[in-house]
Amino acid sequence: MMLTRRTFPGFAALFSFPLAWVLLLLIVPYGIMISVSFWTRQFPLFYPDFQFGNYALIFSDPQYTTVILRTLKIALIVTVCALLLGYPLAYFLVFTIRSAALRNALYMLVIVPLWVSYLLRAYTWKIILGTDGALNSLLVSTGIVDAPLDIFLYNQTAMVITLVYIFVPFMVMPLFTVLDNIPQRLIEASEDLGVGPFMTFWKVIFPLSLGGVIAGATMTFCLSFGDFVAPVLVGGPDGTMVANLLQTQFGAALNWPLGSALATLVLALVLVLLQISTRLDRAGHIDLA
């Protein structure tokens, strides 16, 4: 029997709720943010206007361009490091661990940190890298250094370490799913044809796992790019990122038009990145049927 609105009158109301949610909590706020980015600020008030002064200031002032470029660099480094750590880990779990129960248990250990407070995980690295932290205690106790060093904390290296630790699970999850779904018969066929393990990985496994690589890299990059807690805790003066600028503009500086312009640029960058990842995923899609 064909389902019609008349047959199920509640369907329209049921599906209208998600649409209303998207409209009220996503489209309307983003629309307001974009419109405010063209406003004029005359402290302490903002005036509706249509001018590109906020965007011109962002691209002409080295203070902002330096932070944007630094954020892009750190997010890219974090993504590459997370991929270099996450891919071997996912590969080990899928192809080395034979016991399904043990594999699932180890996989749960990888993603369990996601259930712990983000702030707590970031503070953990502040404790490890601090002057009185675990790393300095180890170096002093083993006689490698005579006194605690202050070079481990409040720099970009500390930020990269902290962000990689926090976001590696977001890289492992899609990679684990993709690798686990690669048909075993394809790997066995490659081995039957006399292809070595490395070429089997390079010609069979890696191309089929590109979807997971793209998904994990996209999530890791976007999360790293928008992070603002790690720069505050372990970044120091040279670790300011775009999210910290946004916090300042919407808070202490009370310059919402400029903050909205920055947020609009971040949104545009994320949308472009998502579009690129979608195209790459479609281009690398391989039908396994």
Side-chain angles (χ1 to χ4, degrees):
M1 182 178 65
M2 180 179 296
L3 301 180
T4 64
R5 291 182 180 179
R6 188 170 184 177
T7 308
F8 296 97
F11 267 31
L14 179 64
F15 287 104
S16 64
F17 178 75
L19 293 177
W21 186 87
V22 171
L23 179 65
L24 293 176
L25 300 183
L26 290 178
I27 296 178
V28 171
Y30 281 136
I32 294 174
M33 179 187 73
I34 294 172
S35 64
V36 172
S37 70
F38 297 102
W39 285 17
T40 300
R41 179 211 185 206
Q42 292 182 0
F43 187 82
L45 302 176
F46 321 125
Y47 297 94
D49 199 353
F50 188 82
Q51 46 82 27
F52 293 92
N54 297 313
Y55 293 96
L57 176 62
I58 292 172
F59 288 109
S60 61
D61 191 334
Q63 175 188 356
Y64 301 109
T65 54
T66 300
V67 173
I68 292 173
L69 293 176
R70 178 192 301 149
T71 306
L72 287 171
K73 182 187 72 173
I74 291 176
L76 183 61
I77 294 175
V78 170
T79 302
V80 172
C81 292
L83 178 61
L84 293 177
L85 289 174
Y87 199 102
L89 178 57
Y91 186 94
F92 172 79
L93 293 176
V94 173
F95 294 109
T96 303
I97 306 298
R98 297 300 178 184
S99 170
L102 178 59
R103 181 170 61 246
N104 292 333
L106 293 176
Y107 176 67
M108 290 300 296
L109 288 178
V110 174
I111 65 174
V112 156
L114 296 179
W115 301 342
V116 179
S117 168
Y118 171 92
L119 195 60
L120 181 62
R121 284 179 286 156
Y123 259 116
T124 300
W125 278 102
K126 185 173 184 178
I127 295 173
I128 294 174
L129 301 174
T131 305
D132 298 326
L135 181 58
N136 267 313
S137 299
L138 177 64
L139 294 176
V140 172
S141 62
T142 55
I144 297 177
V145 297
D146 297 328
L149 304 175
D150 58 357
I151 60 174
F152 302 121
L153 199 59
Y154 302 125
N155 52 52
Q156 295 183 18
T157 302
M159 285 177 52
V160 170
I161 293 173
T162 303
L163 292 174
V164 169
Y165 167 76
I166 291 173
F167 295 130
V168 155
F170 290 97
M171 182 68 76
V172 174
M173 285 191 293
L175 284 171
F176 179 87
T177 302
V178 169
L179 291 173
D180 196 39
N181 285 311
I182 293 178
Q184 185 65 28
R185 68 178 188 277
L186 296 180
I187 301 174
E188 294 173 351
S190 177
E191 294 173 349
D192 292 342
L193 292 173
V195 180
F198 176 76
M199 292 306 295
T200 297
F201 166 78
W202 186 245
K203 294 292 186 181
V204 179
I205 297 176
F206 184 72
L208 294 176
S209 66
L210 280 178
V213 173
I214 294 171
T218 302
M219 284 194 294
T220 304
F221 184 89
C222 291
L223 292 171
S224 303
F225 190 85
D227 189 85
F228 71 97
V229 175
V232 173
L233 292 180
V234 300
D238 295 331
T240 302
M241 296 175 66
V242 168
N244 304 112
L245 284 182
L246 286 171
Q247 184 185 25
T248 302
Q249 296 303 324
F250 282 105
L254 203 60
N255 192 346
W256 289 18
L258 183 58
S260 298
L262 282 167
T264 301
L265 290 176
V266 173
L267 176 64
L269 176 66
V270 171
L271 292 177
V272 169
L273 182 63
L274 291 176
Q275 184 66 22
I276 292 174
S277 65
T278 301
R279 289 180 178 273
L280 289 176
D281 187 44
R282 288 175 180 173
H285 178 72
I286 299 175
D287 190 1
L288 301 178

